[in-house]
Amino acid sequence: MEDARVLELKRSDATEMVAEMARLLQLPLQLDCQKGFMELRDPVGTGKVMCYHTDKGLDTIIFNCELRVPIELKLRGNFSQPIFFYTAARGAVDVSCQRGDFTVKDLQATVHGAYGGDEYSIRLPAGEEILLMVSLVHRKVFFEKVECEILQIPPQLLRVVKGDEPDQDHFLFQDIYHLPAVDAVYSIIDHQEVGLLHSAHASAMIFENLFLLLNEYKRIHKSTNGRLVKEVNKINLIRAAEKVLIANLHDCPTIPNLARMVGVNQQTLKKGFRQLYGTTINGYLNDHRLNQASLLINGGNMSIAEVADAVGYSNGGYFSRKFKQKYGVPPSKFGSG
């Protein structure tokens, strides 16, 4: 495993932790209403790390980035341990505390609560796209005005909320594969407004995500694993569709045929593809075709017309336009210096 750059942070709320990250990475922290964010740059990586102070006792960090080197966030101090709600839309992260380790995989959500003030670390990998939302629910503050028994939170989680029985193991629930919760994360990063409008939208999506995760936990807690199996199977079918596309760049099936090939209806395929890969089927296909075309052009053994045909473009002019949109130069000038 590649050595990580360790950032030691005082356990606090999300805004203060992201501000400390920015200071340690020597990056400016920018503020926009309830949102704080830093833009990553080399040698750290690309993308953004954002934080939101949503409500008394609830704040959120969103990692939307690709790192050059792994980063390990070590949270220390006597600040009360929150309940962590993880939603991984892309990428996987490793979490470690004195009571155990676990991994949050892509399209997986996890609820984690520890009873004590243990050291806590989150390891973000390098070389892959990460879109991860971590909501921190500070128990004593957030739930002080809520009678949790009325919410009918299952007993195991309710003990964590109340901080009872500190000698028991931590609470960890990972069997949540709920695409609407992932949608809420995408909705925040795709929202184009700024200031109050963006902060209000983000707050609504953070609460929706929290509700969806708690509700899914309650559903799964009460029922058999049939719903979970259905969600996992749907994700596997969409991944199978992606493999069919990549294997048939020259002559891809239509969306109706692709849906029939993998055994899912068109609406589920299109919506699930957007949730899983962050773009439409055609957008994903075009991006991979152009990536493959750039490799073939650099190889120097094929004409532009042959490259276009090899990756599935029957119209050379259209291929040139799409290529220039992506790479800034026409294919005839690509790699020429």
Side-chain angles (χ1 to χ4, degrees):
M1 181 180 292
E2 185 179 356
D3 290 340
R5 180 172 179 178
V6 177
L7 303 181
E8 294 195 4
L9 309 177
K10 181 180 178 181
R11 186 184 287 121
S12 183
D13 61 43
T15 302
E16 291 185 10
M17 288 193 290
V18 172
E20 181 66 5
M21 288 175 59
R23 186 188 68 80
L24 293 172
L25 295 172
Q26 298 182 326
L27 296 172
L29 179 69
Q30 303 178 59
L31 300 176
D32 178 26
C33 198
Q34 294 178 336
K35 173 185 176 183
F37 66 97
M38 62 175 175
E39 296 191 12
L40 303 182
R41 55 175 180 255
D42 287 335
V44 178
T46 58
K48 290 183 179 180
V49 178
M50 298 162 280
C51 57
Y52 295 89
H53 179 65
T54 305
D55 188 50
K56 186 179 179 182
L58 172 63
D59 42 52
T60 297
I61 302 175
I62 296 178
F63 300 91
N64 183 24
C65 57
E66 183 172 337
L67 299 175
R68 300 285 183 259
V69 295
I71 288 181
E72 183 176 355
L73 307 176
K74 283 196 172 183
L75 314 184
R76 293 179 174 173
N78 296 321
F79 196 83
S80 177
Q81 185 81 280
I83 303 174
F84 293 86
F85 290 80
Y86 294 90
T87 304
R90 294 194 299 268
V93 298
D94 295 320
V95 180
S96 177
C97 67
Q98 292 180 12
R99 297 173 185 261
D101 305 335
F102 61 92
T103 298
V104 185
K105 301 177 182 178
D106 62 330
L107 293 185
Q108 183 182 42
T110 295
V111 183
H112 183 224
Y115 292 97
D118 297 339
E119 181 180 296
Y120 197 94
S121 70
I122 302 170
R123 182 187 170 97
L124 306 168
E128 63 180 274
E129 292 185 2
I130 302 168
L131 178 53
L132 172 73
M133 183 161 84
V134 186
S135 289
L136 290 73
V137 175
H138 304 282
R139 295 170 297 176
K140 293 182 179 179
V141 179
F142 187 76
F143 289 106
E144 67 181 0
K145 56 184 178 293
V146 179
E147 187 63 43
C148 293
E149 286 87 347
I150 296 176
L151 298 179
Q152 297 181 343
I153 294 177
Q156 189 180 6
L157 180 56
L158 182 60
R159 289 197 297 270
V160 180
V161 169
K162 290 185 171 183
D164 295 341
E165 304 179 54
D167 293 330
Q168 290 193 12
D169 289 338
H170 60 184
F171 173 87
L172 178 64
F173 188 80
Q174 294 198 272
D175 290 336
I176 302 177
Y177 293 86
H178 194 47
L179 294 180
V182 174
D183 274 345
V185 183
Y186 277 112
S187 182
I188 294 173
I189 66 167
D190 290 343
H191 193 253
Q192 299 299 311
E193 300 288 349
V194 296
L196 180 60
L197 287 177
H198 176 77
S199 292
H201 176 79
S203 294
M205 292 299 100
I206 289 168
F207 273 108
E208 179 174 328
N209 174 270
L210 185 66
F211 165 78
L212 289 169
L213 297 190
L214 283 172
N215 200 49
E216 278 302 290
Y217 169 65
K218 288 169 62 178
R219 286 177 183 271
I220 296 169
H221 183 82
K222 290 180 178 179
S223 63
T224 67
N225 65 352
R227 181 184 178 89
L228 172 62
V229 170
K230 183 178 179 181
E231 288 293 325
V232 173
N233 285 344
K234 182 166 70 175
I235 291 168
N236 288 337
L237 292 175
I238 293 166
R239 284 178 170 150
E242 186 262 353
K243 291 180 180 178
V244 171
L245 289 178
I246 299 306
N248 296 275
L249 287 181
H250 178 264
D251 187 22
C252 280
T254 63
I255 290 177
N257 285 340
L258 181 62
R260 283 194 290 270
M261 289 171 69
V262 299
V264 69
N265 67 58
Q266 292 183 54
Q267 182 178 2
T268 298
L269 176 63
K270 290 188 286 188
K271 183 178 179 181
F273 208 94
R274 174 70 174 84
Q275 292 167 327
L276 184 53
Y277 297 107
T279 186
T280 64
I281 294 173
N282 286 331
Y284 188 87
L285 179 60
N286 276 323
D287 193 57
H288 275 266
R289 280 175 164 167
L290 294 172
N291 285 342
Q292 184 65 26
S294 70
L295 296 175
L296 294 175
I297 292 171
N298 278 333
N301 298 318
M302 301 173 69
S303 69
I304 300 302
E306 288 172 332
V307 169
D309 182 67
V311 298
Y313 288 95
S314 58
N315 186 311
Y318 179 72
F319 166 68
S320 293
R321 288 195 301 273
K322 299 299 290 186
F323 194 95
K324 186 175 181 180
Q325 287 176 8
K326 180 175 176 65
Y327 292 106
V329 295
S332 58
K333 301 293 184 182
F334 184 76
S336 60

